[in-house]
Amino acid sequence: MSEHAEHGDDYEKRLQAFTGGELSPLTPGQDPVNLPMIRHWVEAMGDTNPVYTDEGEARATGRPGVVAPASMVQAWTMRGYAATVAPPPGRRGFDVLVALLEEGGYTSVVATDSELEFSRELVPGDHVHVQEIVESISAEKKTGLGAGRFVTTLKTYRDQDGELVATQRWRTLRYRPTDSTPAQPRPLRPRPALNRDNAFWFEAAKEHWLVVQRCASCETLRHPPGPCCPHCGSLEWDTVRASGRGRVHTFTVNHHPRHAAFDYPLVVAVVELAEGTRLITNLTGVAPEDVTVDMPVVLDWLDADPELSLPVFRPVATEDH
Ligand code: ZN
Protein backbone atom coordinates (compact mmCIF):
# COMPACT_ATOMS: atom_id res chain seq x y z
CA MET A 1 0.00 0.00 0.00
CA SER A 2 1.38 3.39 -0.90
CA GLU A 3 2.10 5.99 1.73
CA HIS A 4 -0.54 8.23 0.20
CA ALA A 5 -3.26 5.58 0.41
CA GLU A 6 -2.33 4.88 4.05
CA HIS A 7 -2.66 8.55 4.78
CA GLY A 8 -6.03 8.48 2.99
CA ASP A 9 -7.30 5.59 5.16
CA ASP A 10 -6.17 7.34 8.28
CA TYR A 11 -7.92 10.53 7.15
CA GLU A 12 -11.13 8.65 6.45
CA LYS A 13 -11.03 7.15 9.97
CA ARG A 14 -10.47 10.49 11.62
CA LEU A 15 -13.32 11.97 9.64
CA GLN A 16 -15.75 9.11 10.30
CA ALA A 17 -14.95 9.30 14.02
CA PHE A 18 -17.20 12.39 14.03
CA THR A 19 -20.27 10.42 12.91
CA GLY A 20 -22.79 10.30 15.72
CA GLY A 21 -20.72 12.74 17.76
CA GLU A 22 -21.97 15.94 19.31
CA LEU A 23 -21.04 19.20 17.56
CA SER A 24 -22.67 21.34 20.18
CA PRO A 25 -24.22 20.23 23.48
CA LEU A 26 -27.82 20.98 24.44
CA THR A 27 -27.77 24.78 24.85
CA PRO A 28 -30.65 27.07 25.85
CA GLY A 29 -31.73 29.95 23.65
CA GLN A 30 -31.10 33.47 24.95
CA ASP A 31 -34.76 34.23 25.65
CA PRO A 32 -37.94 32.23 26.16
CA VAL A 33 -40.54 32.25 23.39
CA ASN A 34 -42.11 35.71 23.52
CA LEU A 35 -44.69 37.80 21.72
CA PRO A 36 -42.45 40.72 20.67
CA MET A 37 -40.12 38.39 18.72
CA ILE A 38 -43.10 36.64 17.18
CA ARG A 39 -44.45 40.02 16.04
CA HIS A 40 -41.12 40.93 14.41
CA TRP A 41 -40.98 37.59 12.65
CA VAL A 42 -44.52 37.60 11.20
CA GLU A 43 -44.10 41.21 10.13
CA ALA A 44 -40.87 40.37 8.29
CA MET A 45 -42.48 37.30 6.71
CA GLY A 46 -45.71 39.09 5.85
CA ASP A 47 -47.70 36.38 7.66
CA THR A 48 -50.96 37.90 8.92
CA ASN A 49 -52.46 34.76 10.49
CA PRO A 50 -53.98 36.03 13.79
CA VAL A 51 -53.16 32.73 15.52
CA TYR A 52 -49.64 34.08 16.08
CA THR A 53 -50.42 37.48 17.55
CA ASP A 54 -54.09 37.86 18.53
CA GLU A 55 -54.82 36.44 21.99
CA GLY A 56 -58.58 37.09 21.67
CA GLU A 57 -58.78 35.33 18.33
CA ALA A 58 -56.73 32.42 19.71
CA ARG A 59 -59.12 31.96 22.68
CA ALA A 60 -62.14 32.25 20.39
CA THR A 61 -60.84 29.22 18.49
CA GLY A 62 -60.43 27.23 21.68
CA ARG A 63 -56.70 27.73 22.14
CA PRO A 64 -55.18 28.90 25.43
CA GLY A 65 -53.33 31.71 23.65
CA VAL A 66 -51.14 32.52 20.70
CA VAL A 67 -48.62 30.07 19.28
CA ALA A 68 -45.24 30.76 17.69
CA PRO A 69 -44.85 30.04 13.96
CA ALA A 70 -43.37 26.54 13.71
CA SER A 71 -40.73 27.53 11.17
CA MET A 72 -39.43 30.09 13.65
CA VAL A 73 -37.96 27.32 15.83
CA GLN A 74 -34.34 28.04 14.90
CA ALA A 75 -34.76 31.74 15.71
CA TRP A 76 -35.27 30.93 19.42
CA THR A 77 -31.75 29.54 19.64
CA MET A 78 -29.92 32.07 17.47
CA ARG A 79 -27.32 34.12 19.24
CA GLY A 80 -28.05 37.42 17.51
CA TYR A 81 -25.34 40.02 17.18
CA ALA A 82 -23.12 38.21 19.71
CA ALA A 83 -22.51 35.46 17.14
CA THR A 84 -20.74 37.93 14.84
CA VAL A 85 -18.28 39.20 17.47
CA ALA A 86 -17.53 36.15 19.65
CA PRO A 87 -17.22 32.44 18.87
CA PRO A 88 -20.25 30.51 20.06
CA PRO A 89 -19.66 28.67 23.35
CA GLY A 90 -19.44 24.89 23.16
CA ARG A 91 -18.89 24.73 19.40
CA ARG A 92 -15.35 23.42 19.64
CA GLY A 93 -16.45 20.16 18.03
CA PHE A 94 -17.66 22.08 15.00
CA ASP A 95 -14.37 23.99 14.68
CA VAL A 96 -12.37 20.75 14.88
CA LEU A 97 -14.50 19.14 12.16
CA VAL A 98 -14.18 22.17 9.87
CA ALA A 99 -10.40 22.19 10.39
CA LEU A 100 -10.24 18.49 9.51
CA LEU A 101 -12.28 19.04 6.35
CA GLU A 102 -9.98 21.90 5.38
CA GLU A 103 -7.00 19.61 5.93
CA GLY A 104 -8.57 17.30 3.32
CA GLY A 105 -8.79 20.24 0.91
CA TYR A 106 -12.54 20.78 1.38
CA THR A 107 -12.23 24.49 1.89
CA SER A 108 -15.47 25.69 0.31
CA VAL A 109 -18.99 25.21 1.58
CA VAL A 110 -22.46 25.44 0.17
CA ALA A 111 -25.69 24.60 1.96
CA THR A 112 -27.75 22.06 0.02
CA ASP A 113 -30.88 21.34 2.03
CA SER A 114 -32.67 21.60 5.35
CA GLU A 115 -35.46 19.27 6.50
CA LEU A 116 -37.55 20.39 9.45
CA GLU A 117 -39.92 18.15 11.38
CA PHE A 118 -42.16 19.63 14.06
CA SER A 119 -43.45 17.72 17.07
CA ARG A 120 -45.46 20.38 18.87
CA GLU A 121 -46.29 24.06 18.75
CA LEU A 122 -44.38 26.50 20.92
CA VAL A 123 -46.17 29.06 23.09
CA PRO A 124 -44.87 32.14 24.91
CA GLY A 125 -42.91 31.08 27.99
CA ASP A 126 -41.44 27.92 26.43
CA HIS A 127 -37.66 27.90 26.56
CA VAL A 128 -36.11 26.23 23.52
CA HIS A 129 -32.80 24.35 23.74
CA VAL A 130 -30.85 22.94 20.81
CA GLN A 131 -28.27 20.18 20.43
CA GLU A 132 -26.43 19.35 17.20
CA ILE A 133 -24.86 16.03 16.23
CA VAL A 134 -23.13 14.79 13.08
CA GLU A 135 -25.45 12.33 11.39
CA SER A 136 -23.25 11.37 8.45
CA ILE A 137 -20.24 12.36 6.38
CA SER A 138 -20.38 10.95 2.86
CA ALA A 139 -17.55 9.42 0.87
CA GLU A 140 -15.99 11.87 -1.56
CA LYS A 141 -18.37 12.62 -4.45
CA LYS A 142 -17.73 14.40 -7.73
CA THR A 143 -20.02 17.42 -8.01
CA GLY A 144 -20.37 20.30 -10.44
CA LEU A 145 -18.54 22.51 -7.96
CA GLY A 146 -15.67 20.11 -7.35
CA ALA A 147 -14.96 16.90 -5.40
CA GLY A 148 -16.59 17.08 -2.01
CA ARG A 149 -18.35 15.43 0.91
CA PHE A 150 -21.90 15.91 2.07
CA VAL A 151 -21.94 16.60 5.80
CA THR A 152 -25.34 16.05 7.42
CA THR A 153 -25.99 17.27 10.93
CA LEU A 154 -29.10 16.90 13.03
CA LYS A 155 -30.30 19.67 15.29
CA THR A 156 -32.70 18.56 17.98
CA TYR A 157 -34.86 21.23 19.60
CA ARG A 158 -36.25 20.54 23.09
CA ASP A 159 -38.29 22.57 25.53
CA GLN A 160 -37.46 23.42 29.16
CA ASP A 161 -38.64 19.95 30.24
CA GLY A 162 -36.49 18.14 27.66
CA GLU A 163 -39.53 17.33 25.52
CA LEU A 164 -38.86 17.08 21.79
CA VAL A 165 -40.11 20.13 19.88
CA ALA A 166 -38.58 19.77 16.42
CA THR A 167 -35.65 18.34 14.47
CA GLN A 168 -33.70 19.94 11.65
CA ARG A 169 -31.57 17.87 9.32
CA TRP A 170 -29.03 20.24 7.79
CA ARG A 171 -26.88 19.19 4.86
CA THR A 172 -23.89 21.04 3.44
CA LEU A 173 -21.46 20.19 0.69
CA ARG A 174 -17.86 20.80 1.73
CA TYR A 175 -15.83 20.79 -1.47
CA ARG A 176 -12.47 21.36 -3.05
CA PRO A 177 -12.92 24.21 -5.54
CA THR A 178 -11.66 23.34 -9.02
CA ASP A 179 -9.46 25.45 -11.25
CA SER A 180 -12.19 25.31 -13.87
CA THR A 181 -14.49 27.36 -11.64
CA PRO A 182 -15.11 30.31 -13.98
CA ALA A 183 -13.02 33.33 -13.06
CA GLN A 184 -14.95 36.40 -12.01
CA PRO A 185 -14.75 39.17 -14.61
CA ARG A 186 -12.53 41.95 -13.32
CA PRO A 187 -14.59 44.66 -11.64
CA LEU A 188 -14.41 48.18 -13.04
CA ARG A 189 -12.42 50.87 -11.33
CA PRO A 190 -14.50 52.85 -8.87
CA ARG A 191 -16.38 55.62 -10.68
CA PRO A 192 -15.30 59.22 -10.04
CA ALA A 193 -17.84 61.24 -8.08
CA LEU A 194 -18.92 63.46 -10.96
CA ASN A 195 -20.64 66.79 -10.45
CA ARG A 196 -21.21 70.00 -12.40
CA ASP A 197 -17.89 71.42 -11.22
CA ASN A 198 -15.59 68.55 -12.18
CA ALA A 199 -17.36 66.76 -15.09
CA PHE A 200 -15.43 68.80 -17.71
CA TRP A 201 -12.13 67.44 -16.42
CA PHE A 202 -13.18 63.79 -16.82
CA GLU A 203 -14.83 64.52 -20.17
CA ALA A 204 -11.52 65.98 -21.41
CA ALA A 205 -9.67 62.93 -20.05
CA LYS A 206 -11.87 60.69 -22.21
CA GLU A 207 -10.34 62.55 -25.19
CA HIS A 208 -6.84 62.14 -23.67
CA TRP A 209 -6.61 65.82 -22.92
CA LEU A 210 -5.16 66.74 -19.55
CA VAL A 211 -6.63 70.15 -18.78
CA VAL A 212 -6.19 72.57 -15.90
CA GLN A 213 -8.92 74.93 -14.81
CA ARG A 214 -7.97 78.61 -15.09
CA CYS A 215 -9.61 81.65 -13.56
CA ALA A 216 -10.88 83.86 -16.40
CA SER A 217 -10.31 87.01 -14.29
CA CYS A 218 -6.85 86.61 -12.73
CA GLU A 219 -5.63 83.59 -14.76
CA THR A 220 -4.63 81.59 -11.67
CA LEU A 221 -4.62 77.84 -12.39
CA ARG A 222 -6.34 75.50 -9.97
CA HIS A 223 -6.82 71.80 -9.35
CA PRO A 224 -8.90 69.95 -8.29
CA PRO A 225 -11.68 71.76 -10.16
CA GLY A 226 -14.05 74.01 -8.26
CA PRO A 227 -16.66 76.64 -8.96
CA CYS A 228 -14.78 79.63 -7.59
CA CYS A 229 -11.25 81.06 -7.85
CA PRO A 230 -9.54 80.70 -4.43
CA HIS A 231 -7.32 83.68 -5.37
CA CYS A 232 -9.81 86.36 -6.51
CA GLY A 233 -13.20 84.76 -5.95
CA SER A 234 -14.29 84.93 -9.58
CA LEU A 235 -16.81 82.37 -10.82
CA GLU A 236 -15.63 82.77 -14.43
CA TRP A 237 -13.22 80.15 -15.69
CA ASP A 238 -11.80 78.40 -18.72
CA THR A 239 -9.16 75.73 -19.16
CA VAL A 240 -5.67 75.32 -20.52
CA ARG A 241 -4.21 72.10 -21.83
CA ALA A 242 -1.29 70.82 -19.74
CA SER A 243 2.05 70.03 -21.37
CA GLY A 244 2.11 66.62 -19.72
CA ARG A 245 5.46 67.26 -18.08
CA GLY A 246 5.86 67.10 -14.32
CA ARG A 247 7.72 65.83 -11.29
CA VAL A 248 6.87 63.43 -8.50
CA HIS A 249 6.05 65.71 -5.56
CA THR A 250 5.43 62.77 -3.22
CA PHE A 251 4.19 59.20 -3.44
CA THR A 252 3.13 56.12 -1.51
CA VAL A 253 3.05 52.43 -2.39
CA ASN A 254 -0.31 50.85 -1.67
CA HIS A 255 -0.41 47.14 -0.77
CA HIS A 256 -3.60 46.88 1.31
CA PRO A 257 -6.50 47.03 1.32
CA ARG A 258 -6.85 45.63 -2.18
CA HIS A 259 -9.54 46.35 -4.73
CA ALA A 260 -9.79 43.85 -7.58
CA ALA A 261 -9.78 46.61 -10.21
CA PHE A 262 -6.16 47.55 -9.45
CA ASP A 263 -2.78 45.85 -9.83
CA TYR A 264 -0.55 45.77 -6.76
CA PRO A 265 1.76 47.10 -5.50
CA LEU A 266 0.10 50.31 -6.66
CA VAL A 267 2.13 53.51 -6.79
CA VAL A 268 -0.05 56.47 -5.84
CA ALA A 269 1.70 59.78 -6.46
CA VAL A 270 1.12 63.49 -6.22
CA VAL A 271 2.57 64.85 -9.45
CA GLU A 272 3.35 68.53 -9.78
CA LEU A 273 2.75 69.62 -13.35
CA ALA A 274 5.11 72.00 -15.16
CA GLU A 275 2.17 74.45 -15.03
CA GLY A 276 2.37 74.41 -11.21
CA THR A 277 -0.79 72.56 -10.16
CA ARG A 278 -0.66 69.14 -8.54
CA LEU A 279 -2.82 66.09 -9.07
CA ILE A 280 -3.16 62.67 -7.46
CA THR A 281 -2.42 59.95 -9.97
CA ASN A 282 -0.79 56.55 -10.45
CA LEU A 283 2.69 55.92 -11.80
CA THR A 284 3.19 53.34 -14.52
CA GLY A 285 6.20 51.69 -16.14
CA VAL A 286 8.30 51.91 -12.99
CA ALA A 287 8.99 49.52 -10.10
CA PRO A 288 7.88 50.97 -6.76
CA GLU A 289 11.44 50.77 -5.39
CA ASP A 290 12.70 52.93 -8.28
CA VAL A 291 10.35 55.85 -7.65
CA THR A 292 11.96 58.92 -6.11
CA VAL A 293 10.73 62.32 -5.06
CA ASP A 294 11.41 64.96 -7.78
CA MET A 295 11.67 62.25 -10.43
CA PRO A 296 10.72 63.79 -13.81
CA VAL A 297 7.62 62.15 -15.26
CA VAL A 298 5.54 62.47 -18.39
CA LEU A 299 1.86 62.00 -19.07
CA ASP A 300 0.50 58.67 -20.26
CA TRP A 301 -3.13 57.53 -20.50
CA LEU A 302 -4.93 54.70 -18.82
CA ASP A 303 -8.07 53.61 -20.65
CA ALA A 304 -9.57 51.76 -17.70
CA ASP A 305 -12.83 50.91 -19.47
CA PRO A 306 -14.96 52.44 -22.25
CA GLU A 307 -16.39 55.00 -19.81
CA LEU A 308 -13.22 55.93 -17.95
CA SER A 309 -9.83 57.23 -19.08
CA LEU A 310 -7.41 58.65 -16.54
CA PRO A 311 -4.08 60.44 -16.73
CA VAL A 312 -1.17 58.43 -15.30
CA PHE A 313 2.54 59.24 -15.40
CA ARG A 314 5.66 57.32 -16.33
CA PRO A 315 9.29 58.21 -15.79
CA VAL A 316 10.79 60.40 -18.52
CA ALA A 317 12.98 58.15 -20.68
CA THR A 318 16.67 59.11 -20.67
CA GLU A 319 16.55 60.25 -24.29
CA ASP A 320 13.63 62.59 -23.43
CA HIS A 321 15.78 64.66 -21.03
ZN1 ZN B 1 -9.00 84.43 -10.07
Side-chain angles (χ1 to χ4, degrees), residues 3-21:
E3 204 174 299
H4 181 78
E6 274 171 6
H7 175 79
D9 279 358
D10 175 55
Y11 181 75
E12 193 68 37
K13 271 186 203 149
R14 287 163 64 207
L15 203 54
Q16 292 306 334
F18 275 87
T19 308

Side-chain angles (χ1 to χ4, degrees), residues 87-122:
R91 284 207 88 185
R92 251 182 52 78
F94 180 81
D95 293 339
V96 174
L97 175 58
V98 168
L100 186 58
L101 287 161
E102 286 180 355
E103 180 191 320
Y106 311 111
T107 54
S108 294
V109 59
V110 61
T112 61
D113 58 283
S114 166
E115 292 167 25
L116 281 159
E117 205 173 303
F118 304 105
S119 302
R120 78 158 174 90
E121 284 174 318
L122 290 164

Side-chain angles (χ1 to χ4, degrees), residues 215-220 222 229-234:
C215 172
S217 303
C218 73
E219 300 197 337
T220 301
R222 64 180 187 258
C229 174
H231 186 67
C232 74
S234 169

Side-chain angles (χ1 to χ4, degrees), residues 13 17 62 117 122 156 170 203 228 250 254 259-260 302 310 321:
K13 271 186 203 149
E117 205 173 303
L122 290 164
T156 303
W170 176 246
E203 284 302 316
C228 168
T250 187
N254 176 211
H259 184 290
L302 171 72
L310 294 168
H321 276 290

Side-chain angles (χ1 to χ4, degrees), residues 258-321:
R258 295 191 168 202
H259 184 290
F262 297 87
D263 293 316
Y264 294 87
L266 176 68
V267 184
V268 182
V270 175
V271 165
E272 183 165 298
L273 297 178
E275 289 74 16
T277 55
R278 295 172 183 164
L279 77 161
I280 298 172
T281 181
N282 295 133
L283 298 188
T284 186
V286 58
E289 59 272 22
D290 294 337
V291 180
T292 56
V293 167
D294 269 345
M295 172 188 250
V297 289
V298 64
L299 176 65
D300 202 347
W301 286 97
L302 171 72
D303 294 315
D305 58 69
E307 300 302 315
L308 184 66
S309 293
L310 294 168
V312 293
F313 288 79
R314 59 181 168 78
V316 174
T318 316
E319 61 269 26
D320 292 349
H321 276 290

Side-chain angles (χ1 to χ4, degrees), residues 4-269:
H4 181 78
E6 274 171 6
H7 175 79
D9 279 358
D10 175 55
Y11 181 75
E12 193 68 37
K13 271 186 203 149
R14 287 163 64 207
L15 203 54
Q16 292 306 334
F18 275 87
T19 308
E22 198 174 61
L23 279 186
S24 56
L26 195 65
T27 307
Q30 294 191 109
D31 297 295
V33 174
N34 62 84
L35 194 55
M37 256 178 81
I38 295 174
R39 280 195 205 286
H40 287 303
W41 171 276
V42 296
E43 201 176 300
M45 293 294 169
D47 191 334
T48 55
N49 190 334
V51 73
Y52 301 133
T53 51
D54 189 331
E55 295 279 355
E57 176 81 15
R59 292 206 179 87
T61 56
R63 292 165 182 271
V66 298
V67 296
S71 56
M72 201 181 161
V73 65
Q74 194 182 3
W76 301 115
T77 59
M78 284 183 166
R79 297 181 60 247
Y81 180 65
T84 66
V85 293
R91 284 207 88 185
R92 251 182 52 78
F94 180 81
D95 293 339
V96 174
L97 175 58
V98 168
L100 186 58
L101 287 161
E102 286 180 355
E103 180 191 320
Y106 311 111
T107 54
S108 294
V109 59
V110 61
T112 61
D113 58 283
S114 166
E115 292 167 25
L116 281 159
E117 205 173 303
F118 304 105
S119 302
R120 78 158 174 90
E121 284 174 318
L122 290 164
V123 297
D126 277 332
H127 202 155
V128 183
H129 294 52
V130 66
Q131 176 216 30
E132 187 171 20
I133 64 156
V134 179
E135 199 172 61
S136 65
I137 301 174
S138 79
E140 185 174 292
K141 312 263 189 200
K142 282 198 161 69
T143 78
L145 292 169
R149 292 175 185 262
F150 290 93
V151 177
T152 307
T153 69
L154 185 70
K155 285 184 178 180
T156 303
Y157 297 92
R158 297 184 182 278
D159 66 14
Q160 59 282 0
D161 302 320
E163 191 196 334
L164 183 67
V165 172
T167 57
Q168 183 176 20
R169 187 165 281 107
W170 176 246
R171 193 170 289 122
T172 55
L173 171 65
R174 299 263 168 183
Y175 64 100
R176 200 179 290 138
T178 58
D179 294 339
S180 61
T181 306
Q184 292 290 318
R186 194 169 208 193
L188 299 181
R189 277 206 175 211
R191 306 290 89 183
L194 292 182
N195 57 45
R196 285 161 61 186
D197 294 324
N198 67 13
F200 75 91
W201 192 87
F202 290 96
E203 284 302 316
K206 272 190 201 171
E207 307 298 325
H208 289 192
W209 295 338
L210 177 59
V211 296
V212 185
Q213 194 175 30
R214 177 175 62 183
C215 172
S217 303
C218 73
E219 300 197 337
T220 301
L221 298 175
R222 64 180 187 258
H223 187 86
C228 168
C229 174
H231 186 67
C232 74
S234 169
L235 295 171
E236 303 301 315
W237 57 269
D238 58 11
T239 60
V240 293
R241 195 165 165 184
S243 66
R245 296 278 172 162
R247 285 179 182 276
V248 173
H249 178 71
T250 187
F251 70 99
T252 188
V253 181
N254 176 211
H255 298 272
H256 296 283
R258 295 191 168 202
H259 184 290
F262 297 87
D263 293 316
Y264 294 87
L266 176 68
V267 184
V268 182

